[in-house]
Amino acid sequence: MGAGIVLAGVFGTTASAQQNDWSYEATLYLFMPETETSVETPAGTLDGTLSFSDALDNLDFAFMGAFAASNGRWSLLADYNYTDLSFSNSGSGPAAADLDTSFTTQFLSGYVAYRVYEDPTVQLDIAGGFRWFSTETDFTLTPGSAPGRTTSVDDSWTDPVIGVRARFVLSEKWTATGFVDYGGFSNDSETWQVFLTADYAINDRWVIRGGYRYIDFDHEIDGNDFKFSQSGPVIGATYRF
């Protein structure tokens, strides 16, 4: 399977020449996560896992794009993620049957953020918004001691989310950015993520980043618990305008 090209925007802080002017940023980055997804069935839980080392080999296609706009203390943030993956786990299904997992997953997060604290070395924003998640996932048990069968999950939902974004100035060139959010607020639907980067400013326009992202979804579908999470390193470059 061919590896997809990953395009994305990191939740960074935009630079503004004048406080009352709008400023914008977009980022291209490569995300190579470990993926875990599972669903409860009457015969037991089907659990598919793709390791970080195999992520690119099993990636059919991915597109991720984000956009940030800031004006004074206010910011608008949007992040769209599309992933198409397929992989196999040996003896991981009920009765030691092999499990083939394939999914097409999308999520869209949108936030309004407000800067509540700022000094020469720290900027702190609070954010509120939503996260929409959609998945078409097939879990296929190949015959072992149990008969082969396919369980499909095809659903979408939207959760409210709240978050905090912080930026720390470490030197003239180096900064660190962190974004944490949580949403759903119920036993039937929860989501959260952590996004951390170390950022190096090449000049006023370009920044290169490296870091880590973890994002998690837990949602009840037709009375059965469905879980999806991805975690791993990110590297990227940001353009500010």
Side-chain angles (χ1 to χ4, degrees):
M1 301 173 188
I5 297 176
V6 182
L7 304 177
V10 176
F11 295 113
T13 304
T14 60
S16 177
Q18 299 181 19
Q19 188 173 0
N20 293 325
D21 290 341
W22 284 100
S23 57
Y24 310 94
E25 72 172 40
T27 302
L28 304 180
Y29 77 78
L30 178 64
F31 182 33
M32 297 171 289
E34 176 176 286
T35 299
E36 296 185 7
T37 184
S38 67
V39 64
E40 291 181 347
T41 72
T45 299
L46 302 178
D47 190 347
T49 301
L50 176 66
S51 68
F52 156 74
S53 60
D54 294 330
L56 288 181
D57 289 339
N58 289 271
L59 182 65
D60 296 324
F61 180 76
F63 176 84
M64 306 168 197
F67 185 77
S70 295
N71 189 335
R73 290 183 174 268
W74 291 97
S75 297
L76 302 176
L77 310 171
D79 173 40
Y80 173 74
N81 182 300
Y82 178 98
T83 307
D84 186 357
L85 275 169
S86 55
F87 53 93
S88 299
N89 296 121
S90 299
S92 62
D98 293 345
L99 179 65
D100 296 332
T101 305
S102 63
F103 63 80
T104 300
T105 292
Q106 305 175 71
F107 62 83
L108 172 66
S109 302
Y111 312 84
V112 176
Y114 181 76
R115 181 154 300 155
V116 296
Y117 179 80
E118 182 174 15
D119 68 25
T121 60
V122 178
Q123 298 171 351
L124 183 65
D125 300 340
I126 57 172
F130 70 92
R131 178 171 296 127
W132 169 78
F133 183 86
S134 174
T135 188
E136 297 178 9
T137 304
D138 292 327
F139 299 90
T140 302
L141 286 172
T142 58
S145 58
R149 68 179 187 276
T150 297
T151 299
S152 298
V153 177
D154 186 353
D155 203 356
S156 62
W157 60 89
T158 302
D159 289 319
V161 295
I162 57 174
V164 177
R165 180 177 64 170
R167 179 174 180 264
F168 304 91
V169 178
L170 307 177
S171 68
E172 182 180 353
K173 293 288 189 179
W174 284 98
T175 59
T177 302
F179 188 93
V180 179
D181 70 23
Y182 173 78
F185 308 103
S186 73
N187 292 331
D188 296 338
S189 189
E190 287 185 302
T191 180
W192 64 280
Q193 77 164 329
V194 177
F195 205 157
L196 306 172
T197 64
D199 316 321
Y200 179 79
I202 300 173
N203 52 43
D204 290 341
R205 296 290 186 182
W206 288 98
V207 177
I208 57 175
R209 303 180 186 271
Y212 172 86
R213 186 181 198 180
Y214 180 95
I215 188 163
D216 183 89
F217 301 86
D218 189 343
H219 189 79
E220 188 174 293
I221 301 174
D222 297 328
N224 298 314
D225 192 30
F226 171 80
K227 295 182 179 181
F228 177 88
S229 66
Q230 289 186 312
S231 61
V234 296
I235 55 173
T238 295
Y239 180 71
R240 293 170 169 169
F241 55 100

